Amino acid sequence: GENVEQHPSTLSVQEGDSAVIKCTYSDSASNYFPWYKQELGKGPQLIIDIRSNVGEKKDQRIAVTLNKTAKHFSLHITETQPEDSAVYFCAASIRSGGYQKVTFGIGTKLQVIP
Amino acid sequence: DVKVTQSSRYLVKRTGEKVFLECVQDMDHENMFWYRQDPGLGLRLIYFSYDVKMKEKGDIPEGYSVSREKKERFSLILESASTNQTSMYLCASSLPLLGRDGQFFGPGTRLTVL
C-alpha cells in the first residue's frame, strides 16, 4: 500500500520567518495531496490541496509544490504568525474503485515563536 | 457552518467493556471514516463507509467494528476494549471521491482503557 513519510516531526521558527514541511509518497498512482492543520483540542482541518496535474498552488501565505517524478510534495508557509502554531499533516490519496483512499504522514508540530 | 460531531470528548473504560463511539455529520456526505491518532504514527484508518449499510476495512480494523444505519451517523464499536486501544479517535466525512473540499473532521474522542 501507499506509504507517506513526513519531516521534520517538529519545527520551530521565529515569527515572520518561513516554514517548510516536506513529504514523500511511494505509490505513483496517488493523484491527490491534501494538507491538514490541527490546532490544540480540535480535529484536522483542510488548509490546501493539490492534484497530480498541477505543480504548484498558492493561497495567500501558504503554498504547496508537487514533484511527481521524485514523488515528493512540500508545504510552504511564509511570514509565519503565532496562530500558525499547530500540527500539520500531509496526505496522499489514491483512487481505489469508487472511493479515494487517503494515507497520512505522521505530522509536523510547528511552533512559531513571537 | 458544516459540522461533524462526536458523542464524547473524553471517555474512560475498563478492559473488556464494550465501547460505542458515535459520529454525526450534517452535510449529507456519502463517505464517513474512523481514524485513530497516536503520537509518532499520524492518523491511521480503521474503517470507512461510502454509503448506508456499506463498510470497508481500513489499515487497522482488528478489534473494531462499525455500523452505519443512517446516512448521517457512523458508529465505531470496540467489542472488548483493551489497553492498546487507548488513543484519540477521529471521525471524518466527505463527498464521494473527496469532492472539492476533502475530509471534514470531528473534534475527536480521547479514549482511555484501564
Side-chain angles (χ1 to χ4, degrees), chain A residues 34-38 41-46 89 91 102 104, chain B residues 2-6 23-25 27 29 32-37 43-45 88-94 98 101-108:
Chain A
W35 286 87
Y36 288 84
K37 176 184 181 182
Q38 185 177 28
K42 297 183 178 180
Q45 182 176 10
L46 181 72
F89 291 96
V102 183
F104 287 85
Chain B
V2 296
K3 264 192 180 171
V4 178
T5 56
Q6 296 183 229
C23 175
V24 177
Q25 51 95 3
M27 295 164 282
H29 282 168
M32 296 189 75
F33 310 81
W34 275 107
Y35 293 89
R36 64 177 281 177
Q37 181 178 8
L43 280 68
R44 292 179 294 166
L45 181 64
M88 170 69 83
Y89 290 87
L90 291 164
C91 175
S93 71
S94 79
L98 302 181
D101 301 313
Q103 294 170 302
F104 289 84
F105 284 85

Side-chain angles (χ1 to χ4, degrees), chain B residues 26-79:
Chain B
D26 65 359
M27 295 164 282
D28 201 34
H29 282 168
E30 285 79 4
N31 294 353
M32 296 189 75
F33 310 81
W34 275 107
Y35 293 89
R36 64 177 281 177
Q37 181 178 8
D38 300 288
L41 296 176
L43 280 68
R44 292 179 294 166
L45 181 64
I46 304 171
Y47 267 98
F48 68 97
S49 168
Y50 52 89
D51 201 352
V52 176
K53 297 191 185 292
M54 306 301 288
K55 61 185 179 184
E56 290 284 341
K57 292 180 180 179
D59 298 317
I60 51 165
E62 296 79 19
Y64 303 95
S65 62
V66 290
S67 172
R68 192 163 181 207
E69 297 296 318
K70 293 185 178 182
K71 190 176 185 179
E72 67 271 20
R73 188 179 297 270
F74 192 35
S75 303
L76 180 69
I77 304 155
L78 287 67
E79 294 289 342

Side-chain angles (χ1 to χ4, degrees), chain A residues 3-112:
Chain A
N3 181 49
V4 177
E5 294 189 358
Q6 179 174 353
H7 58 93
S9 56
T10 59
L11 180 60
S12 290
V13 300
Q14 290 293 136
E15 181 178 357
D17 286 351
S18 295
V20 180
I21 302 170
K22 298 183 179 182
C23 291
T24 61
Y25 61 99
S26 60
D27 194 327
S28 57
S30 289
N31 61 354
Y32 173 66
F33 306 89
W35 286 87
Y36 288 84
K37 176 184 181 182
Q38 185 177 28
E39 297 176 336
L40 200 61
K42 297 183 178 180
Q45 182 176 10
L46 181 72
I47 55 170
I48 195 167
D49 57 15
I50 191 167
R51 298 192 182 268
S52 58
N53 58 346
V54 176
E56 184 175 359
K57 184 176 179 180
K58 286 184 180 179
D59 183 4
Q60 299 182 343
R61 294 187 299 107
I62 60 174
V64 59
T65 59
L66 171 65
N67 183 328
K68 286 175 59 181
T69 303
K71 289 190 280 194
H72 64 69
F73 55 114
S74 301
L75 178 72
H76 303 252
I77 307 174
T78 58
E79 299 172 21
T80 53
Q81 301 167 4
E83 52 265 37
D84 294 329
S85 295
V87 178
Y88 291 81
F89 291 96
C90 65
S93 181
I94 299 173
R95 180 161 180 175
S96 177
Y99 55 88
Q100 290 275 151
K101 186 167 189 285
V102 183
T103 303
F104 287 85
I106 64 169
T108 296
K109 185 175 183 179
L110 174 64
Q111 181 184 21
V112 179

